[in-house]
Amino acid sequence: MIKSNTTFPTKFDAIVVGAGPAGAASAYVLSKKGFKVLLVDRSREAGSKELYGGRIYLGPLKEVWPDLDKKAPIHRWIKKERASIMGKDGRIITIEYNAGRRTSFTAYLPELVRWMVSKAEEEGTIFVDEVVVDELLTSDGKVVGIRSGPDEIRSDVVIDAEGVNRLLLEKLGLVSGPRPEELALGIKEVLKVRKNEINAQFNVDDDEGVAWILMGDITLGIPGGGFIYTFNETISIGIVIHMANAIRAAEAGAINHSFELVENLRLHPYFNKLWKSSDVIEYGAHLTIEDGLSFMPKRLVYPGLLIVGDAAGLILNTGYTVRGVDFAVYSGKLAAEAVEKALSEKEGATEENLKVYEDMVRKSFMYNELKRHRASKELMKDPEFFTKISRIPLKFFSELYEIDKEVPTAYEAFKNACRSEDSGPLSLMFKLWGMVKKL
Ligand SMILES: Cc1cc2nc3c(=O)[nH]c(=O)nc-3n(C[C@H](O)[C@H](O)[C@H](O)COP(=O)(O)OP(=O)(O)OC[C@H]3O[C@@H](n4cnc5c(N)ncnc54)[C@H](O)[C@@H]3O)c2cc1C
């Protein structure tokens, strides 16, 4: 709803579609520079449609809001990184790393986005919620505003921050419909757990958090993984599965409903003890992007239009790190800087003038990261990595520790583990080396 004391201009310098992290950041930076900005979102309240895992990297966000680490609604700073490989039979390998520096934190994305939007409003952004943008208006091949129902609002430039669904860009013919190969499905539950219980179970202090990734049997062999993040008084647990493989698994009858995977995680005897007295207070599912570079539109700039955040394919998921929110915020900042430059030119937001955004993205750490980690995408879709290969270390440890009389040498245990998956030690080493190089 528009605030009653707001006078509504008939034309804006910029309209930002989507008040997620990308849209909120671009609106904030542009307003701070003195531009007249309209930020719209279809949700009832800023951030209320957001669903993600739970951890955000601080660095890029601080470039937009230098005091974010002191002022924003941060829950816990990630202290413990855990990674587990899970087997069918209750066998689990877990490694834990205790971080020395505070570089990432957990936050409720709806809460954080509301904070970001309030910062933009403080700088003068007009934010209107419950507005579904039906199309981007064009005139002479240039985007000139938005249409929502009967309302048409004009601006010099539109920033598309609509996220992964990209219906508006598809309508304009700038991207094709989503392909299951490029996407993953995230399913999540939020468990209410007392703060003291979280601290005791995870061995952390009040402001320290845990980021835990899981692979192996937790996804029933479907490429993907699980996650656990601790918040002040909740724990978020979830599964992310590669869409094309999930569809194949459903067609083959391997899964009935994706929510059963999260339920399996919640009820798993190894994890269940950590949230014994919990209630599920929220659940949901959301699409996410598996391979940012292949999802990226051919161009990020058109006359009068810039594309940011998920809509631009700017998200990295390496399997052990997800960087969506910080990339979204950073791309929003770059887009705002490009708009400032373009609007200072006589011809305004022409494609030529806005192209500086595309150049900035391609020179940025985000694009570099997406290119550097490209090979890991093949691995993330490879069912063998999530079945055979992840079973070998489990078998190795069971050979080594689950003994009756004789303890095998580590090499014997390794050979036996390889044999159990019809693999020789040497060919496995080569395969593993090939896989490790992709990570
Ligand atoms: C299961 C899961 C786990 C994840 N875990 C993490 C994580 O731990 N860490 C991390 O950094 N990232 C994570 N991500 C990714 C992260 O959530 C996204 O990269 C990030 O939210 C993208 O921000 P955005 O602003 O581009 O888009 P979004 O956050 O999707 O925001 C888009 C906004 O546009 C609005 N909108 C869309 N269409 C219209 C329209 N036509 N009219 C009006 N409004 C519209 C929507 O309501 C929404 O508010 C995860 C994602 C998923 C699905």
Side-chain angles (χ1 to χ4, degrees), residues 35 158 167 194 349 408 420:
F35 291 98
V158 171
L167 297 177
R194 282 199 313 275
S420 72

Side-chain angles (χ1 to χ4, degrees), residues 78-373:
I78 296 300
K79 178 72 183 168
K80 289 181 196 289
E81 305 275 356
R82 287 184 186 164
S84 293
I85 304 178
M86 302 172 60
K88 263 194 175 31
D89 39 19
R91 293 188 172 111
I92 296 179
I93 301 169
T94 299
I95 56 167
E96 179 176 306
Y97 173 74
N98 233 32
R101 283 196 306 133
R102 293 183 157 185
T103 57
S104 66
F105 58 86
T106 58
Y108 287 159
L109 198 51
E111 239 173 50
L112 185 66
V113 163
R114 271 198 294 282
W115 181 86
M116 292 171 174
V117 170
S118 73
K119 290 281 135 192
E121 285 183 304
E122 279 170 23
E123 296 298 335
T125 291
I126 295 182
F127 171 60
V128 192
D129 51 17
E130 294 190 280
V131 170
V132 179
V133 175
D134 297 313
E135 67 174 326
L136 303 179
L137 294 173
T138 56
S139 171
D140 294 332
K142 180 175 187 280
V143 173
V144 292
I146 58 167
R147 185 180 66 74
S148 172
D151 297 323
E152 291 190 355
I153 310 171
R154 308 259 156 180
S155 59
D156 289 332
V157 66
V158 171
I159 296 182
D160 185 299
E162 64 178 313
V164 62
N165 288 328
R166 305 200 296 200
L167 297 177
L168 298 172
L169 295 180
E170 204 182 322
K171 243 183 203 169
L172 269 191
L174 303 183
V175 298
S176 45
R179 291 185 307 119
E181 280 301 326
E182 295 168 336
L183 297 172
L185 176 67
I187 315 119
K188 162 183 167 174
E189 287 185 357
V190 178
L191 313 176
K192 177 94 183 139
V193 185
R194 282 199 313 275
K195 188 173 202 152
N196 289 347
E197 201 174 322
I198 294 177
N199 295 353
Q201 294 290 8
F202 290 88
N203 189 21
V204 287
D205 288 337
D206 274 0
D207 65 344
E208 292 175 343
V210 179
W212 198 338
I213 53 162
L214 318 164
M215 72 173 284
D217 195 53
I218 193 69
T219 57
L220 305 178
I222 304 168
F227 60 80
I228 299 171
Y229 295 104
T230 61
F231 295 77
N232 278 344
E233 298 192 312
T234 54
I235 300 175
S236 126
I237 66 171
I239 301 284
V240 179
I241 42 177
H242 181 232
M243 197 70 182
N245 283 294
I247 292 170
R248 281 194 279 275
E251 283 167 355
I255 48 168
N256 294 320
H257 201 292
S258 46
F259 274 95
E260 66 188 43
L261 297 176
V262 186
E263 190 165 45
N264 291 347
L265 169 58
R266 172 164 39 80
L267 300 175
H268 192 287
Y270 181 78
F271 298 104
N272 187 244
K273 293 183 187 68
L274 299 168
W275 45 74
K276 245 185 323 215
S277 49
S278 66
D279 293 312
V280 180
I281 54 168
E282 205 184 302
Y283 64 89
H286 202 286
L287 285 179
T288 185
I289 299 157
E290 183 70 29
D291 183 354
L293 280 184
S294 75
F295 194 76
M296 195 174 271
K298 276 198 194 74
R299 285 145 54 194
L300 300 180
V301 162
Y302 292 87
L305 176 72
L306 299 95
I307 307 168
V308 295
D310 272 9
L314 290 166
I315 172 171
L316 175 73
N317 179 359
T318 63
Y320 50 89
T321 330
V322 182
R323 302 191 61 178
V325 174
D326 64 318
F327 277 28
V329 164
Y330 200 78
S331 66
K333 166 183 136 56
L334 295 186
E337 288 167 359
V339 168
E340 180 188 28
K341 265 203 158 98
L343 295 187
S344 72
E345 304 284 340
K346 197 165 112 264
E347 308 82 16
T350 59
E351 183 172 357
E352 196 52 33
N353 287 344
L354 290 174
K355 201 155 175 304
V356 62
Y357 169 63
E358 181 117 23
D359 298 340
M360 287 194 276
V361 168
R362 289 186 195 278
K363 281 187 196 137
S364 72
F365 75 94
M366 299 181 292
Y367 195 69
N368 197 30
E369 288 286 272
L370 286 172
K371 278 196 305 193
R372 254 174 6 101
H373 292 280

